[in-house]
């Protein structure tokens, strides 16, 4: 749809402007739905390209989302999206159209379903493969309470690579009011059953088919004595005939009512199947096939590129990102060491491992959205002589905590964890912050933690990790190295000549006794320390100690103790991770046995007992008192 960007929203999207709640959508004539779908796609393209967000996935589920809200009644009926990155149309239909100007901004509308945001968001999501377990819980709760509500679970075919989906489906009982919508948009999980199956699929998605089927069953079941046995016998005969002709499928073998596959971008066909599933009053699987990026040519051509879109005006720095550096370094190392293997969890592109996969396919294992399996699989490889590297985002590594302890660390196996997207994540919010890994990894024996903040330090950390005989974690932020940090801590040093454990003291000639206050930090938040030190330069001399390895804490404490002034001064531990069990708590405790700390005023600045949920639209570190402003305030108060 072509729209004039200068027009007000009400004029550009007249049909969408009439939808303020699901009841408005139900009242819209069927012939106007294609126009509404076109307007929604134009609206999404405009808003997401402006604010950033998930585009291709939402463009693919427009008709599916409209059909759900026309057949079911939210919030009485429960609608749960797997991951939730495809819930934008759901948000539009449920009265949040105007809030799209604040999408993915601090204090604004979340990019995922969020219980505190709307009564229509019955369950918060952000990670994959959790939806069916939650939906099953809703359906069973309704059964227990005697509610007539339905639960609709929308999940993509990629979610089926996660074990939780199979664990949940194993517990789905036939007589639950649970509708499972399988949205297939990339990989095929169904058997290729040829022209006969395609014809049957078209037949089974027609309104006439279900009307005739239901009428026949109703008439036969009323015949005295033999009616119900006849209906049951015909059903068994139909299933046997279908199985003989083209085989059964996974869902029917589990005893679930299966409908599809049909074109998920055909609203009428989807609505027909949904109404049949609702009328059946039983646990049902509806198999749809949709097109990612539908209606926007660039997203149709390259849906991966438009999966996540940055806000308009975002300047992408030139050079190599941390993810790309990790992938390139590992690929080069694998050329010299045939035992090196790489294991991403459905994030080969995001973690920089595509080139490794192309170069060494026999040693590359993308296990899908199965983080627990990835870690234990790596443990098996390591136990049998290989050198596996598991590349997972910080927020997703949480899902494999037990496997790291039980299968890797307890056996002291040399598995390397490359932890991407470490630290706060302003756009995706609380579900995607990388703020817990330092704390939970710090508790695990036999495991070292590196925190490189330059590409050179990342390369050195990887070399050290792959020489080690124990498990190692290397955590680094998204994006690119900060030139200010590189200049401040590396200066004119040859960027390839860095130690495996790089702890750099910056400020006032880098002599500890020249310093009035010391900030000990790690990661990208070091930039805030540099800014604060510059602001306070005329009032005090602030030193900054940048750590590029955290654990083992006792060893790090021994190394940095000589870098701490002997005189009385203020020592601040600064990090953008959770306080409990984090760097500040652990390292300050390790340093407490050193005499140099006896006359110090110690403060840990970190995220305290929270999930990093922003209440206002402002720089994310400022929201939690972890920026240069907060540092200046703390140090000024101490000086006074």
């Amino acid at each position: 749809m072509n729209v004039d960007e200068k027009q007000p929203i009400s004029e550009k999207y007249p049909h969408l402007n009439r939808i303020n709640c699901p009841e408005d959508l139900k009242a819209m004539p069927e012939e106007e739905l294609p126009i509404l779908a076109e307007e929604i796609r134009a609206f999404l393209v405009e808003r997401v390209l402006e604010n950033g967000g998930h585009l291709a996935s939402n463009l693919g589920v427009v008709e599916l989302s409209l059909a759900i809200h026309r057949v079911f009644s939210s919030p009485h009926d429960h609608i749960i999206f797997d991951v939730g990155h495809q819930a934008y149309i759901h948000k539009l239909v449920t009265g949040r159209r105007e809030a799209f100007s604040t999408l993915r901004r601090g204090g604004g509308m979340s990019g995922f379903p969020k219980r505190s945001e709307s009564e229509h968001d019955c369950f918060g999501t952000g990670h994959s493969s959790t939806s069916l377990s939650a939906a099953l819980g809703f359906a069973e709760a309704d059964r227990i309470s005697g509610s007539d509500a339905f639960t609709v679970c929308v999940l993509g075919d990629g979610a089926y690579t996660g074990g939780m989906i199979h664990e949940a489906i194993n517990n789905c009982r036939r007589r639950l009011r649970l509708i499972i919508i399988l949205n297939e948009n990339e990989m095929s999980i169904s058997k290729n059953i040829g022209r006969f199956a395609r014809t049957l699929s078209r037949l089974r998605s027609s309104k006439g088919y279900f009307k005739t089927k239901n009428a026949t069953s109703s008439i036969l079941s009323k015949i005295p004595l033999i009616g119900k046995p006849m209906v049951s016998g015909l059903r068994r005969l139909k299933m046997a005939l279908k199985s003989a002709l083209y085989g059964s499928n996974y869902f029917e073998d589990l005893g679930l009512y299966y409908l599809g596959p049909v074109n998920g971008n055909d609203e009428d066909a989807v609505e027909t199947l949904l109404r049949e599933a609702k009328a059946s009053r039983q646990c049902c699987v509806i198999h749809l096939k949709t097109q990612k990026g539908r209606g926007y040519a660039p997203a149709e051509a390259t849906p991966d590129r438009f999966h996540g879109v940055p806000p308009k005006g975002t300047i992408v720095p030139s050079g190599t990102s941390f993810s790309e550096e990790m992938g390139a370094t590992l690929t080069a190392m694998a050329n010299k060491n045939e035992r090196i293997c790489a294991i991403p969890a459905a994030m080969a592109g995001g973690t920089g491992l595509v080139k490794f996969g192309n170069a060494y396919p026999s040693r590359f294992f993308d296990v899908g959205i199965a983080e627990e399996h990835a870690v234990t699989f790596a443990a098996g490889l390591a136990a049998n002589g290989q050198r596996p590297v598991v590349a997972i985002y910080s927020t997703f590594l949480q899902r494999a905590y037990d496997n790291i302890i039980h299968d890797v660390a307890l056996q002291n196996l040399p598995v390397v964890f490359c932890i991407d997207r470490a630290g706060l994540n302003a756009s995706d919010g609380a579900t995607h912050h990388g703020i817990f890994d330092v704390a939970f990894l710090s508790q695990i024996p036999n495991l070292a933690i590196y925190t490189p903040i330059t590409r050179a330090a990342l390369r050195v950390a990887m070399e050290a990790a792959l020489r080690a005989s124990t498990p190692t974690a290397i955590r680094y932020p998204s994006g690119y190295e900060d030139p200010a940090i590189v200049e401040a801590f590396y200066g004119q040093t040859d960027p390839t000549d860095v130690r495996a454990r790089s702890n750099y003291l910056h400020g006032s000639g880098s002599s500890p006794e020249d310093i009035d206050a010391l900030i000990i930090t790690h990661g990208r938040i070091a930039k805030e320390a540099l800014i604060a030190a510059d602001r306070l330069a005329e009032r005090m001399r602030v030193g900054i100690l940048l750590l590029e390895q955290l654990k083992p804490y006792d060893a790090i404490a021994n190394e940095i103790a000589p870098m701490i002034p002997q005189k009385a001064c203020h020592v601040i531990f600064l990090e953008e991770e959770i306080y409990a069990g984090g760097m500040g708590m652990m390292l300050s405790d390790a340093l407490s046995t050193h005499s140099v700390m006896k006359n110090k005023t110690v403060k840990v600045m970190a995220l305290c007992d929270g999930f990093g949920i922003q209440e206002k639209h402002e720089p994310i570190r400022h929201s939690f008192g972890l920026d240069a402003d907060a540092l200046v305030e703390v140090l000024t108060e101490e000086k006074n």
Side-chain angles (χ1 to χ4, degrees):
M1 180 178 183
N2 295 319
V3 294
D4 182 355
E5 292 186 359
K6 296 180 180 180
Q7 286 182 287
I9 289 178
S10 59
E11 295 179 13
K12 286 167 35 174
Y13 310 112
H15 288 73
L16 176 59
N17 196 52
R18 287 159 46 192
I19 307 300
N20 297 301
C21 63
E23 286 68 30
D24 293 337
L25 177 61
K26 288 182 171 69
M28 181 168 283
E30 290 185 18
E31 60 271 17
E32 295 184 19
L33 294 178
I35 302 174
L36 174 63
E38 189 177 358
E39 287 186 7
I40 287 175
R41 286 192 167 94
F43 177 88
L44 290 176
V45 169
E46 177 184 349
R47 289 300 186 187
V48 175
L49 291 183
E50 178 71 27
N51 290 351
H54 293 95
L55 184 58
S57 54
N58 282 286
L59 293 175
V61 297
V62 174
E63 290 82 7
L64 160 60
S65 302
L66 296 178
I68 289 173
H69 278 287
R70 281 175 60 84
V71 174
F72 297 96
S73 298
S74 177
H76 176 69
D77 294 324
H78 320 294
I79 303 171
I80 300 176
F81 292 87
D82 200 83
V83 183
H85 63 301
Q86 77 284 47
Y88 290 8
I89 299 90
H90 164 75
K91 294 194 176 200
L92 277 175
V93 170
T94 54
R96 286 170 273 181
R97 180 179 63 250
E98 301 303 324
F100 265 78
S101 61
T102 68
L103 176 66
R104 289 163 53 92
R105 295 182 179 179
M109 189 173 75
S110 171
F112 303 94
K114 188 176 180 181
R115 281 170 58 85
S116 61
E117 185 176 290
S118 171
E119 63 178 345
H120 296 281
D121 293 355
C122 64
F123 195 79
T125 53
H127 291 189
S128 178
S129 308
T130 65
S131 59
L132 188 51
S133 295
L136 183 59
F138 272 85
E140 289 286 10
D142 285 332
R143 179 191 61 79
I144 293 169
S145 64
S147 171
D148 64 351
F150 285 87
T151 300
V152 181
C153 175
V154 183
L155 51 106
D157 47 2
Y160 274 85
T161 64
M164 279 186 69
I165 291 294
H166 300 278
E167 294 172 25
I169 206 166
N170 186 54
N171 284 281
C172 289
R173 295 193 281 181
R174 189 178 183 93
R175 290 303 171 186
L176 288 174
R177 295 190 175 204
L178 173 60
I179 312 299
I180 305 166
I181 298 178
L182 169 58
N183 174 31
E184 182 184 348
N185 53 30
E186 285 186 285
M187 55 177 280
S188 176
I189 67 165
S190 58
K191 187 177 180 181
N192 185 357
I193 49 181
R195 182 177 299 174
F196 177 81
R198 291 194 296 271
T199 301
L200 182 62
S201 173
R202 288 194 296 269
L203 172 65
R204 295 179 74 191
S205 65
S206 68
K207 295 178 181 179
Y209 168 78
F210 292 118
K211 183 176 180 181
T212 301
K213 181 186 121 178
N214 293 334
T216 302
S217 297
S218 177
I219 293 170
L220 289 176
S221 63
K222 293 177 182 178
I223 299 175
L225 300 178
I226 65 170
K228 290 183 179 180
M230 285 181 63
V231 173
S232 179
L234 286 172
R235 184 179 294 114
R236 288 195 299 271
L237 177 62
K238 182 189 76 171
M239 295 299 293
L241 179 61
K242 187 176 76 168
S243 180
L245 288 171
Y246 60 91
S248 61
N249 67 41
Y250 174 66
F251 305 107
E252 289 178 330
D253 288 343
L254 289 172
L256 303 178
Y257 185 28
Y258 172 85
L259 296 169
V262 299
N263 179 6
N265 295 121
D266 182 338
E267 195 281 335
D268 185 63
V270 176
E271 192 171 324
T272 298
L273 292 194
L274 288 172
R275 294 193 185 281
E276 165 62 14
K278 184 177 181 180
S280 73
R281 285 174 167 73
Q282 61 180 304
C283 189
C284 179
V285 176
I286 296 178
H287 183 178
L288 307 177
K289 296 191 176 186
T290 60
Q291 180 187 14
K292 267 192 172 182
R294 187 177 181 87
Y296 182 56
E300 288 181 353
T302 55
D304 288 347
R305 181 184 171 195
F306 287 89
H307 173 74
V309 179
K312 185 178 180 180
T314 299
I315 299 175
V316 179
S318 59
T320 304
S321 69
F322 283 106
S323 303
E324 292 167 339
E325 185 67 44
M326 189 282 292
T329 299
L330 192 64
T331 302
M333 295 173 74
N335 185 46
K336 300 177 182 178
N337 186 343
E338 295 182 354
R339 295 188 299 149
I340 291 177
C341 304
I343 308 169
M347 291 289 189
T351 56
L353 288 176
V354 171
K355 290 183 178 179
F356 185 104
N358 293 334
Y360 306 106
S362 66
R363 290 185 274 156
F364 176 76
F365 308 94
D366 190 338
V367 299
I369 305 170
E371 293 85 0
E372 297 129 304
H373 164 56
V375 172
T376 302
F377 171 56
L381 285 169
N384 203 22
Q386 303 303 306
R387 295 308 308 259
V389 175
V390 180
I392 297 180
Y393 290 8
S394 171
T395 186
F396 302 140
L397 188 65
Q398 298 161 186
R399 312 178 85 177
Y401 185 43
D402 174 67
N403 307 76
I404 297 171
I405 295 175
H406 182 270
D407 301 324
V408 177
L410 184 60
Q411 302 184 88
N412 207 24
L413 294 169
V415 175
V416 178
F417 299 97
C418 285
I419 306 172
D420 210 319
R421 271 59 169 186
L424 291 167
N425 184 327
S427 297
D428 282 333
T431 59
H432 285 63
H433 289 325
I435 60 176
F436 293 102
D437 61 276
V438 170
F440 70 69
L441 292 173
S442 291
Q443 317 308 313
I444 301 176
N446 304 327
L447 187 145
I449 303 175
Y450 289 88
T451 59
I453 196 55
T454 66
R455 290 162 47 208
L458 174 58
R459 292 193 296 271
V460 171
M462 291 180 66
E463 291 169 359
L466 282 160
R467 287 195 304 266
S469 58
T470 57
T472 306
I474 307 171
R475 68 186 309 271
Y476 43 89
S478 63
Y480 302 79
E481 62 183 14
D482 190 316
I485 294 176
V486 176
E487 175 62 26
F489 294 98
Y490 283 78
Q492 302 303 314
T493 304
D494 180 354
T496 64
D497 182 24
V498 294
R499 292 168 292 163
R501 198 156 58 219
S502 303
N503 302 316
Y504 292 94
L505 183 64
H506 169 76
S508 298
S510 296
S511 171
E513 299 313 313
D514 292 337
I515 293 170
D516 299 318
L518 178 65
I519 301 172
I520 301 176
T521 189
H522 70 96
R524 188 171 279 159
I525 199 172
K527 177 69 171 290
E528 302 293 341
L530 290 170
I531 296 172
D534 287 342
R535 289 185 188 175
L536 292 167
E538 294 184 1
R539 303 179 62 177
M540 64 171 58
R541 295 163 298 180
V542 179
I544 305 165
L545 184 55
L546 175 67
L547 305 177
E548 294 198 291
Q549 184 176 3
L550 304 183
K551 190 174 182 288
Y553 286 101
D554 287 339
I556 301 302
N558 291 335
E559 180 178 335
I560 69 173
M563 302 181 185
I564 299 173
Q566 292 288 337
K567 61 186 178 183
C569 70
H570 199 73
V571 176
I572 296 177
F573 294 88
L574 175 67
E575 59 187 319
E576 57 180 310
E577 289 79 36
I578 202 74
Y579 166 79
M583 177 276 294
M585 175 184 284
M586 299 295 289
L587 188 55
S588 62
D589 182 65
L591 282 167
S592 65
T593 61
H594 292 257
S595 60
V596 73
M597 297 298 291
K598 289 183 178 179
N599 57 352
K600 301 298 185 292
T601 301
V602 176
K603 181 178 180 62
V604 177
M605 295 178 66
L607 286 163
C608 296
D609 194 26
F611 291 96
I613 299 173
Q614 283 186 275
E615 301 297 336
K616 298 179 181 179
H617 179 43
E618 58 189 5
I620 192 165
R621 294 193 189 109
H622 184 76
S623 295
F624 306 112
L626 298 175
D627 63 348
D629 292 342
L631 283 166
V632 169
E633 182 178 349
V634 168
L635 291 170
T636 301
E637 288 177 356
E638 181 63 22
K639 184 71 173 177
N640 295 335

